[in-house]
Amino acid sequence: MAVPVTKVPTNQSLSRTATGIPSFPAQHLGHLEPAELNALDSFKELIAKKGFYKPADGQSPASHDDATLLRYLRARRFNPQDAFKQFEDTEIWRKENKLEQLYETIDVKDYEECRRLYPQWTGRRDKRGMPVYVFDVGHLNSHAITAYTKSTSASHSKMLRLFALYENLTRFIMPLCTFLLDRPNPETPITQSNNIVDIQGVGLRQFWNLKGHMQEASTLATAHYPETLDRIFIVGAPSYFPTVWGWIKRWFDPITVSKIFVLSAHNVKPVLEKFIDPANIPKKYGGELPYEFGMMPIFDDALKQQMEWTVPGLGTWPQGPMMWVNGEGQGQVAVAVGSVNGKQRKEPVATLHTRAIEKVANGYA
């Protein structure tokens, strides 16, 4: 029994897809309609008045960049009042859980244990410059979850460790993709990602055992990291999947479900190639990239050419969380953070020569 492909929008225009859902870069910085610009201004005024936002003052950048604020507005259909409620909840949540401190001090071993169980960046980007992640769900079985939960330190809960990965996406990977100009609309910051989710070999019992975990992760991510997802391509669906998809999709909010596309075996390669160049698609899914789940990122030529490593020949990031620090001149310094054996690290790894790109604040952009 073949798994039918969910219709995937193929319109690559700069405004709207055939479904009427906004398509990048519509509703993103540099491509806002007048009403959307007005909503952004009203939103800034509101969150500043409430004490959650500090505008740039000539000496310091704004506390939150426009690309971040637009994620909340897109999630709430550009209604400033609705966006404020979500933004307020997130700011309070971040402060209560010390998210910035967590990311910069988390034990590297804890971080890596978490990274191996969730979507991982391949080191490549799609045709619009968005990072391409791969997630092999088969690794997320009940045994792995149990072992992972037992290893969780008292100070860093399972979910908080997961959100260290979201911090990596918003504070490191998306800014990195923004810095790279070899893409359409280089003036527009990258604030979303694409995911290939492989469910080959995942049994019905495993899906059911993961229900609570996936619901919790999805709910919190939607609440506190809105509009960071562009699309999810599900591949390797077993024959029973169409039967259970009806109740699986109820685990997620409607907006997330609208971004999920289930591909049949014969559609994986042609559909992925509409959005991602073959050189950036892992070989397992019909592409040319020798990437397998669990590997560190394999960088493309554009990134390699702009990266100057502190240690010559390093070629990829060390394990653990990373962040950007403004360097001298037109450059950004990639710094390895986190803790090793209880000692916090802050080690420069490489300089990305960003030419004329505007420097971004090290917030959660």
Side-chain angles (χ1 to χ4, degrees):
M1 176 181 177
V3 179
V5 60
T6 300
K7 185 177 180 181
V8 179
T10 57
N11 186 339
Q12 295 298 309
S13 72
L14 300 182
S15 57
R16 310 285 174 181
T17 65
T19 62
I21 299 173
S23 177
F24 181 86
Q27 297 189 343
H28 288 70
L29 202 62
H31 298 269
L32 298 175
E33 297 176 0
E36 294 164 348
L37 276 169
N38 290 336
L40 177 59
D41 290 340
S42 297
F43 186 44
K44 287 182 180 179
E45 182 178 345
L46 176 60
I47 57 179
K49 181 179 178 180
K50 297 290 187 179
F52 291 99
Y53 172 74
K54 183 179 295 184
D57 59 10
Q59 299 294 324
S60 302
S63 61
H64 303 75
D65 61 30
D66 287 356
T68 297
L69 302 182
L70 283 168
R71 290 199 285 107
Y72 289 86
L73 284 168
R74 288 197 303 273
R76 292 294 177 258
R77 300 182 181 275
F78 281 82
N79 183 313
Q81 289 289 343
D82 291 348
F84 167 69
K85 175 58 179 172
Q86 184 172 16
F87 187 79
E88 177 187 37
D89 289 345
T90 295
E91 288 296 295
I92 293 172
W93 174 81
R94 291 181 65 84
K95 185 176 181 179
E96 288 178 345
N97 290 287
K98 301 178 180 179
L99 258 294
E100 292 191 16
Q101 180 181 345
L102 165 68
Y103 182 70
E104 295 176 21
T105 61
I106 187 172
D107 186 87
V108 170
K109 182 180 178 181
D110 287 351
Y111 182 91
E112 287 300 313
E113 285 181 352
C114 184
R115 188 186 71 84
R116 287 192 289 268
L117 293 174
Y118 291 99
Q120 301 175 4
W121 185 43
T122 60
R124 299 304 174 96
R125 297 165 290 147
D126 71 6
K127 292 180 178 180
R128 298 161 299 167
M130 294 183 185
V132 176
Y133 279 71
V134 168
F135 184 25
D136 187 341
V137 179
H139 287 74
L140 197 62
N141 55 40
S142 57
H143 175 75
I145 290 294
T146 300
Y148 170 59
T149 302
K150 287 182 178 179
S151 72
T152 303
S153 65
S155 59
H156 294 154
S157 72
K158 175 165 60 73
M159 282 294 107
L160 284 181
R161 278 208 253 168
L162 166 61
F163 288 113
L165 301 185
Y166 274 96
E167 291 292 294
N168 183 257
L169 169 66
T170 57
R171 295 179 62 180
F172 189 73
I173 302 302
M174 294 196 304
L176 169 59
C177 294
T178 295
F179 296 148
L180 300 174
L181 297 177
D182 62 327
R183 57 187 174 92
N185 310 112
E187 75 286 351
T188 303
I190 297 297
T191 58
Q192 293 179 306
S193 65
N194 272 302
N195 292 256
I196 300 172
V197 177
D198 189 346
I199 59 174
Q200 183 176 6
V202 178
L204 186 58
R205 180 187 295 272
Q206 184 175 349
F207 270 121
W208 185 255
N209 288 340
L210 293 174
K211 177 183 178 182
H213 174 81
M214 295 177 72
Q215 277 183 312
E216 184 178 12
S218 177
T219 298
L220 288 174
T222 300
H224 300 307
Y225 297 88
E227 286 296 305
T228 54
L229 173 66
D230 181 66
R231 291 180 177 89
I232 292 177
F233 298 107
I234 294 182
V235 302
S239 59
Y240 66 80
F241 194 75
T243 304
V244 301
W245 174 236
W247 55 264
I248 289 178
K249 67 182 182 182
R250 291 199 292 268
W251 301 353
F252 309 104
D253 70 280
I255 293 177
T256 299
V257 171
S258 72
K259 299 178 179 183
I260 298 175
F261 304 97
V262 184
L263 308 185
S264 61
H266 71 277
N267 271 303
V268 171
K269 186 174 186 292
V271 170
L272 290 181
E273 286 183 352
K274 290 178 181 177
F275 300 93
I276 310 169
D277 287 328
N280 299 324
I281 299 173
K283 288 183 177 180
K284 184 177 180 180
Y285 310 117
E288 303 167 4
L289 183 66
Y291 176 88
E292 296 182 4
F293 186 76
M295 295 175 61
M296 295 300 287
I298 301 175
F299 300 140
D300 59 34
D301 289 340
L303 178 53
K304 290 177 182 177
Q305 291 169 6
Q306 290 182 231
M307 191 71 69
E308 181 181 347
W309 297 97
T310 302
V311 179
L314 185 61
T316 192
W317 314 124
Q319 293 186 339
M322 302 283 296
M323 62 184 289
W324 293 106
V325 175
N326 290 335
E328 296 182 1
Q330 294 178 348
Q332 294 282 318
V333 179
V335 178
V337 293
S339 298
V340 178
N341 297 324
K343 184 177 181 180
Q344 188 174 354
R345 67 176 184 176
K346 198 170 186 179
E347 302 170 357
V349 174
T351 297
L352 184 69
H353 297 289
T354 55
R355 302 195 296 278
I357 303 174
E358 181 182 358
K359 293 181 180 180
V360 298
N362 220 337
Y364 57 112

